[in-house]
Amino acid sequence: MQQFDAKKETNKIIQFIRNYYQENNLEGAILGISGGKDSAVVAAIMTKALGKNNVIGLSLPCHSDTKDREDAKLISDCYGFKLMNFDITTVFDSFKNQVKNLGKFSEQEVEDSDINLKPRLRMSTLYYLAALYSNIHNKRYLVIGTSNKCELFVGYFTKGGDSVHDIAPIADFTVDEVIKIGEYLKVPSKVLYKSPSDGLSNRTDEEKLGVRYSEIASYMKDRNSISPSIAQKIEKLHQNNLHKFHIPTYRR
């Protein structure tokens, strides 16, 4: 099996980004910096591709762990791009107050709606500020996606939330490959090796999924390389979330 060449792949991603930006007369990039490895690696890639002055990072807390914001700052300090804090907690709370007007719902009934509302508010914020800074700086900003291949395969993202972006630098790389790219780009180990979490549900990604990212990567290469029970879980996640990629459209 061919060994993953992080340097080669990183340089190819950077060239892909530069080519796309040049072909479409683009200059700026804006992305959410969650304090996790995916956004950290993407931020590192974008600063290498475009220069730190063309990258804006956004910390978007919403009843969030303050440590995530600290880790976001660690990344911005490391790569030198501008990091802004845009707290959406009051927006979220205002929305929830309106929901109360519809009736009384249990915590269990609103759990999924609450979790998915946060990335949708974050998406709206990123696009609002991308348009704003495009006008202010007289250059076009894109919203940058930070999902990896394992997350996408099992549909571990919010439809209309973190699924919405303009360019996807790491969408074809597994979690282990993203980590290797991060090692090459010298992403701070505190962020690169921390357990992946959505920062919304107080559980790690793998706890929520019920499978490990390494198992998802193995399944994508050869489903027979893992236990049948785990393979069945992964296949079910994949099938149940295919609707996130395809909008049924009636054609005359």
Side-chain angles (χ1 to χ4, degrees):
M1 186 181 293
Q2 189 174 6
Q3 190 173 7
F4 182 75
D5 189 332
K7 179 180 179 180
K8 179 181 177 181
E9 292 298 337
T10 302
N11 289 333
K12 287 169 71 174
I13 300 168
I14 289 170
Q15 194 57 53
F16 163 77
I17 293 166
R18 287 175 177 169
N19 289 345
Y20 185 78
Y21 267 69
Q22 186 175 11
E23 290 166 5
N24 293 280
N25 298 313
L26 304 164
E27 291 184 68
I30 189 164
L31 71 156
I33 308 295
S34 66
K37 63 175 167 290
D38 289 333
S39 63
V41 170
V42 171
I45 289 170
M46 296 309 299
T47 54
K48 295 288 185 183
L50 305 179
K52 63 185 181 182
N53 293 330
N54 290 314
V55 177
I56 296 175
L58 279 180
S59 175
L60 295 158
C62 182
H63 297 289
S64 305
D65 190 335
T66 55
K67 292 179 182 177
D68 290 339
R69 186 177 172 189
E70 293 169 7
D71 289 344
K73 187 175 187 306
L74 178 63
I75 298 305
S76 67
D77 288 345
C78 180
Y79 296 102
F81 61 88
K82 182 177 182 179
L83 179 70
M84 299 185 297
N85 187 61
F86 194 102
D87 196 319
I88 59 172
T89 302
T90 55
V91 179
F92 177 86
D93 290 345
S94 178
F95 190 101
K96 288 285 292 176
N97 284 332
Q98 289 299 312
V99 173
K100 290 177 183 177
N101 294 331
L102 302 178
K104 189 174 182 179
F105 306 104
S106 69
E107 287 187 16
Q108 185 176 4
E109 287 172 327
V110 300
E111 181 181 17
D112 287 343
S113 296
D114 285 358
I115 288 172
N116 286 300
L117 174 60
K118 294 177 183 181
R120 286 170 178 146
L121 292 174
R122 286 171 176 155
M123 180 275 292
S124 296
T125 306
L126 287 167
Y127 272 95
Y128 182 95
L129 293 178
L132 176 64
Y133 285 104
S134 291
N135 288 329
I136 290 173
H137 296 154
N138 195 30
K139 60 183 180 184
R140 293 168 64 195
Y141 280 81
L142 294 187
V143 173
I144 315 301
T146 61
S147 292
N148 63 62
K149 189 173 185 176
C150 294
E151 291 173 328
L152 292 170
F153 185 78
V154 294
Y156 188 62
F157 57 85
T158 295
K159 196 174 183 179
D162 48 338
S163 68
V164 182
H165 45 260
D166 301 315
I167 190 170
I170 62 169
D172 199 34
F173 297 93
T174 67
V175 171
D176 286 344
E177 290 169 342
V178 171
I179 289 173
K180 288 175 182 175
I181 292 171
E183 289 171 342
Y184 170 68
L185 292 171
K186 296 181 171 54
V187 171
S189 58
K190 180 189 177 187
V191 173
L192 190 62
Y193 302 120
K194 74 194 262 189
S195 296
S197 168
D198 61 8
L200 307 171
S201 61
N202 297 317
R203 289 184 289 169
T204 68
D205 292 355
E206 293 178 331
E207 286 173 343
K208 289 188 70 178
L209 288 168
V211 295
R212 296 195 299 271
Y213 280 128
S214 59
E215 292 169 331
I216 298 171
S218 296
Y219 177 93
M220 288 189 289
K221 290 178 183 176
D222 178 11
R223 67 168 293 160
N224 295 318
S225 65
I226 58 176
S227 72
S229 61
I230 296 296
Q232 190 175 16
K233 279 186 180 180
I234 293 169
E235 179 63 23
K236 185 177 181 181
L237 286 166
H238 176 69
Q239 293 295 331
N240 286 351
N241 286 296
L242 284 176
H243 69 92
K244 294 183 178 181
F245 296 94
H246 305 290
I247 305 297
T249 304
Y250 170 75
R251 303 291 184 189
R252 290 186 296 172

